[in-house]
Amino acid sequence: MTLRLHPCAKVNLTLEVLSKRDDGYHEVVTILQTIDLVDDLTFEPASDLVLVSDQSEIPPEENLVLRAARGLRQSLGERRGARIRLVKRIPLAAGLGGGSSDAAATLIGLCRLWRRDIPVAGLAAIAAGLGSDVPYFLYGGTALAEGRGERVTPLPPMPESWLVLATPPTAVPGKTGKLYRALAPSAFTQGEATRSLVRAIRSGEAVTPSRLHNVFESVAGRVFPELDRYRGAFRAAGAPVVHLSGSGPTVFVLFSSPAQAAELRARLDAAGVPALVVKTVASPYNRN
Ligand code: C5P
């Protein structure tokens, strides 16, 4: 028996920092959306927990997938193992939440493999211990996240949209922490952009580019050397406003039609900037 899941990447439609907390984290409000850029995770019964991965950069021991598997096994008092195979397609450390999504899918996949019927709420604490974004990926779709990102409220799916996405090829170790530390308190907001977009999504309105907001927009250029070149290429290709996803460096432009997205992608391609067209995903695992 082999069980297969496709953990989705996400983008942040909004990401606001309200304050710095005493525990070193920041209080955020963010609206997340899964997209159909996916990794491939398979699970097979085995006596031990084993991860086989196509990644050479990250030692398997440190991989969030194995940490998720071990944490789940311990919390369930489960004695069985699993052979987990991970094929990465979501760029690493890119602001797309790939590692967090793999970790959440591991929790869901192993519960299915071991036939343990645990509700999402029962996995939330393990997920939050793995990373601030991991609980969101237990739900996917359109959702509001608060606290350090681990408090998740699912929202109605945003209207189907297409995104042109590009990831500058820059590896910056520990970049999420670096970007948070680079924020001046003057960048903090009251969360109004997020609250207003939550209201719009709840009333079925379109998510227009002018509603998107990311606190890291102004500091990311200093941390990712290639980002300004990418922004310039988007401008030259006819997309004056691009948005950063999470703590970057991935940037995206949102469209309501696939044809417009394909046109922009083709112009970027001609300019030597590799980009993808992806679509929003409303419900990756059909559970809530
Ligand atoms: O939770 P996660 O491991 O994704 O966070 C990585 C780093 O990003 C944290 O160690 C912290 O420095 C920073 N962070 C933060 N506030 C958040 C989330 C992350 O300061 N809400």
Side-chain angles (χ1 to χ4, degrees):
M1 168 201 175
T2 301
L3 196 141
R4 166 168 268 131
L5 292 178
H6 288 115
C8 291
K10 59 81 179 163
V11 292
N12 300 73
L13 301 176
T14 65
L15 174 51
E16 294 180 86
V17 171
L18 309 182
S19 59
K20 187 166 188 313
R21 307 183 347 178
D22 293 337
D23 64 2
Y25 282 90
H26 291 74
E27 197 67 16
V28 302
V29 285
T30 176
I31 301 176
L32 301 126
Q33 174 62 52
T34 35
I35 53 176
D36 67 353
L37 170 61
V38 299
D39 285 338
D40 189 89
L41 254 188
T42 54
F43 305 85
E44 284 169 31
S47 50
D48 291 321
L49 276 177
V50 184
L51 173 66
V52 184
S53 165
D54 67 340
Q55 302 170 79
S56 51
E57 299 100 296
I58 298 181
E61 287 305 300
E62 281 174 38
N63 194 292
L64 269 188
V65 167
L66 261 188
R67 285 182 45 209
R70 291 194 180 126
L72 180 70
R73 193 160 76 151
Q74 193 177 11
S75 92
L76 296 180
E78 177 60 58
R79 302 170 86 91
R80 285 170 286 183
R83 184 182 156 83
I84 307 172
R85 203 173 59 88
L86 171 65
V87 179
K88 288 296 297 178
R89 295 201 198 89
I90 305 172
L92 301 177
L96 295 168
S100 301
S101 189
D102 295 340
T106 299
L107 299 178
I108 293 169
L110 288 178
C111 283
R112 290 185 187 173
L113 186 78
W114 294 332
R115 300 192 186 284
R116 307 287 294 254
D117 191 15
I118 316 288
V120 169
L123 297 173
I126 305 175
L130 296 165
S132 305
D133 273 354
V134 181
Y136 158 71
F137 284 106
L138 296 172
Y139 300 88
T142 312
L144 168 70
E146 299 168 276
R148 65 179 168 90
E150 87 289 14
R151 269 191 0 245
V152 182
T153 308
L155 296 172
M158 71 178 273
E160 191 170 62
S161 302
W162 286 261
L163 295 85
V164 174
L165 204 84
T167 305
T170 333
V172 177
K175 54 110 192 172
T176 303
K178 259 185 200 148
L179 275 150
Y180 274 106
R181 283 192 297 278
L183 286 179
S186 58
F188 299 174
T189 51
Q190 307 278 318
E192 190 41 49
T194 301
R195 276 199 300 275
S196 140
L197 186 55
V198 166
R199 282 193 296 272
I201 289 170
R202 285 200 165 123
S203 35
E205 288 170 37
V207 177
T208 51
S210 66
R211 288 186 173 279
L212 306 189
H213 177 91
N214 187 325
V215 64
F216 295 120
E217 211 74 69
S218 56
V219 291
R222 274 185 260 146
V223 177
F224 303 113
E226 293 257 44
L227 189 58
D228 283 340
R229 183 170 75 80
Y230 268 57
R231 283 175 172 147
F234 272 80
R235 264 197 304 278
V241 184
V242 291
H243 306 281
L244 192 70
S245 182
S247 55
T250 296
V251 287
F252 67 95
V253 181
L254 194 62
F255 291 100
S256 55
S257 97
Q260 286 172 300
E263 243 173 69
L264 174 60
R265 195 202 70 84
R267 284 197 294 268
L268 287 167
D269 197 44
V273 169
L276 296 172
V277 175
V278 299
K279 195 162 75 108
T280 51
V281 171
S283 181
Y285 301 116
N286 293 318
R287 51 183 285 172
N288 45 55

